[in-house]
Amino acid sequence: MVGDWIKKYQEKQAFWLHDSNPRRPHALLTSGKHSGGYFNSKLVTEDATLLGEASRDLVDQLLQDSSFDINDIDRVVGPQTGATRLAESIATEVTIKRGRLCAWASPAKAGEGEHKTMVFTDTKVGLGEKVLLVEDVLNTGGSIRLTAQAVEVAGGSVLPYTAVLVNRSGFNEVDGRKIISLINHSMPIWVPEKCPLCKVGSEAIRPKGIESWQQLNASY
C-alpha cells in the first residue's frame, strides 16, 4: 500500500522535505528545476531485501490492471543509474512469476541540453522486443521519455505502462503510458527563476551523493 511504502522510505531516511530554513539547501533536480522535497530511492534500491519487496509489489500492481499481460514483456528497461538495479530486479520478478526468462537493460545518458539522449552501451534491446519501462523516481518524465526513444531507436516496442517506485510528478501517464507506482506523492517543482527557496537565500544542490544528502538533512 502507498502509506506502507512512504513509511518504509521514512525508515530508510530516504524521504526529505525542506523545513523553510533559508540556511538549508534545497534539491536541484536532473531536469534543472528546483524542489523542496526529494525521495532518495538509491537508499532503497541498494538494500537487496527491500528492492526485492518493492519489485514484487510493483509487479503485483501491474497484474491488477486488467489490460496488463505479464507474458507481453520481453525486456525491462530503466535509465542509468537510478533505475538500473530496479530494472534487473523487476525482470527477475517477472521471470519468477511467469516461469520464463525476462531480460533487462539500462541505457546511459549522453549529450547535454537539446542534444541530451539515452544510449545502450552494453546489453541492448533486440529488434521487435516488447519493453516495460521502469524508473526509481518520476519527477518531470524527461528521463523516461529519453529511455522510450532509445528503445524505439533500437527497434523495440514500448508497452503502455511505466512502473515506478515513486511518482512525484502529479501525472497519471507519460506520453500515453500509464504510471503504476508504489508511492504517488506530488511535490512542487519550480524553474530556478521562480524558486521561492532561492529567493530567501537557500542554495540549490544535487541531492544524490552521501555528502549532498547529509547537507540537506543537517542541523541548522
Side-chain angles (χ1 to χ4, degrees):
M1 295 176 63
V2 169
D4 292 337
W5 274 101
I6 288 181
K7 182 178 180 181
K8 288 172 183 177
Y9 266 72
Q10 290 171 331
E11 289 172 348
K12 294 292 290 186
Q13 297 183 328
F15 178 32
W16 169 84
L17 288 173
H18 200 277
D19 59 3
S20 299
N21 184 338
R23 295 178 59 195
R24 186 180 306 284
H26 58 284
L28 172 59
L29 306 178
T30 304
S31 64
K33 295 181 179 180
H34 296 188
S35 181
Y38 197 78
F39 286 89
N40 190 349
S41 284
K42 182 178 185 296
L43 301 178
V44 172
T45 58
E46 68 185 10
D47 182 325
T49 300
L50 201 54
L51 175 59
E53 184 180 348
S55 299
R56 287 190 293 274
D57 284 359
L58 261 180
V59 174
D60 285 343
Q61 282 207 49
L62 284 163
L63 289 169
Q64 290 175 18
D65 191 296
S66 59
S67 299
F68 177 77
D69 187 347
I70 197 170
N71 292 304
D72 284 342
I73 306 172
D74 295 315
R75 189 179 298 272
V76 179
V77 175
Q80 292 184 21
T81 57
T84 300
R85 289 180 177 176
L86 180 62
E88 181 179 11
S89 184
I90 289 186
T92 298
E93 186 62 26
V94 169
T95 297
I96 292 170
K97 284 190 179 297
R98 71 184 185 188
R100 178 168 58 84
L101 181 65
C102 178
W104 67 277
S106 186
K109 291 179 182 177
E112 296 291 340
E114 296 179 357
H115 302 289
K116 187 182 293 184
T117 185
M118 287 278 185
V119 294
F120 291 98
T121 56
D122 297 318
T123 305
K124 300 181 179 180
V125 171
L127 186 64
E129 284 188 339
K130 295 180 180 179
V131 170
L132 173 67
L133 299 180
V134 300
E135 178 65 291
D136 60 336
V137 180
L138 189 70
N139 289 300
T140 64
S143 292
I144 210 69
R145 287 188 177 97
L146 292 177
T147 303
Q149 291 171 10
V151 169
E152 291 168 351
V153 167
S157 174
V158 181
L159 293 171
Y161 300 92
T162 299
V164 303
L165 296 179
V166 180
N167 176 21
R168 54 160 293 173
S169 68
F171 305 149
N172 294 318
E173 61 179 40
V174 176
D175 296 338
R177 294 182 296 275
K178 184 176 181 180
I179 299 170
I180 303 294
S181 62
L182 295 183
I183 296 175
N184 190 29
H185 190 295
S186 61
M187 287 185 281
I189 298 175
W190 312 286
V191 293
E193 56 269 24
K194 293 186 178 180
C195 175
L197 293 172
C198 283
K199 290 179 180 179
V200 297
S202 172
E203 179 189 3
I205 66 172
R206 296 287 186 187
K208 290 186 178 180
I210 296 175
E211 291 185 5
S212 295
W213 194 244
Q214 289 175 342
Q215 191 176 350
L216 289 174
N217 288 279
S219 298
Y220 289 92

